[in-house]
Amino acid sequence: MAITLMNPEGLPKVDVYRQVAVATGSRMVFVAGQVSWDADGATVGEGDLAAQVERCYLNVAAALAEAGGSFADVAKLNVHVVDWTPDKMPLLLEGIDRAAAKLGVTPAAPATLLGVAALDVPEHLVEVEAVAVLD
């Protein structure tokens, strides 16, 4: 594996991600921000944050697979959520859990969660981008 995930002493341990990723591979993969589109460009889960998070993670996984990777190769995730408030956390986690169950993985790369005013179209509630390192 090209990625080693760590939680250093002195930093809080968070259930859904690790604080540090050390990459030792030779190829970097940058996945554009993925929204809840299906293969035809139709929005999946309109108005449903958990469904959209799930689809975003599945889309990231598809992009990684095309490059020969998986979530095990992800060094960094950025998650952008429209009108973020902490009470949306259970829905975000539900979507991640549903995607993880379908993929058979636990996405745990260092992550940044950003609240944004809007995304590309009003129907999209979340966008997830990834950086991966492959051997």
Side-chain angles (χ1 to χ4, degrees), residues 2-46:
I3 304 294
T4 302
L5 301 176
M6 300 181 289
N7 273 325
E9 289 298 319
L11 295 178
K13 291 178 179 35
V14 181
D15 291 338
V16 295
Y17 67 88
R18 303 302 172 264
Q19 297 286 1
V20 175
V22 177
T24 57
S26 58
R27 292 188 310 139
M28 294 185 73
V29 178
F30 298 89
V31 178
Q34 296 298 302
V35 293
S36 61
W37 279 333
D38 65 13
D40 296 321
T43 298
V44 173
E46 191 168 335

Side-chain angles (χ1 to χ4, degrees), residues 100-128:
K102 285 184 177 178
L103 296 168
V105 300
T106 302
T112 299
L113 173 61
L114 301 166
V116 297
L119 292 170
D120 58 331
V121 296
E123 295 81 21
H124 291 155
L125 304 175
V126 63
E127 184 170 331
V128 179

Side-chain angles (χ1 to χ4, degrees), residues 4-98:
T4 302
L5 301 176
M6 300 181 289
N7 273 325
E9 289 298 319
L11 295 178
K13 291 178 179 35
V14 181
D15 291 338
V16 295
Y17 67 88
R18 303 302 172 264
Q19 297 286 1
V20 175
V22 177
T24 57
S26 58
R27 292 188 310 139
M28 294 185 73
V29 178
F30 298 89
V31 178
Q34 296 298 302
V35 293
S36 61
W37 279 333
D38 65 13
D40 296 321
T43 298
V44 173
E46 191 168 335
D48 182 342
L49 180 60
Q52 289 199 18
V53 169
E54 176 185 4
R55 184 59 192 220
C56 290
Y57 274 74
L58 294 175
N59 288 352
V60 168
L64 292 167
E66 182 67 21
S70 71
F71 266 99
D73 303 302
V74 173
K76 180 73 170 88
L77 289 168
N78 288 325
V79 180
H80 304 84
V81 182
V82 174
D83 296 326
W84 175 258
T85 55
D87 63 307
K88 294 180 181 178
M89 185 62 82
L91 293 172
L92 179 79
L93 296 176
E94 177 185 336
I96 293 170
D97 287 345
R98 288 176 5 195

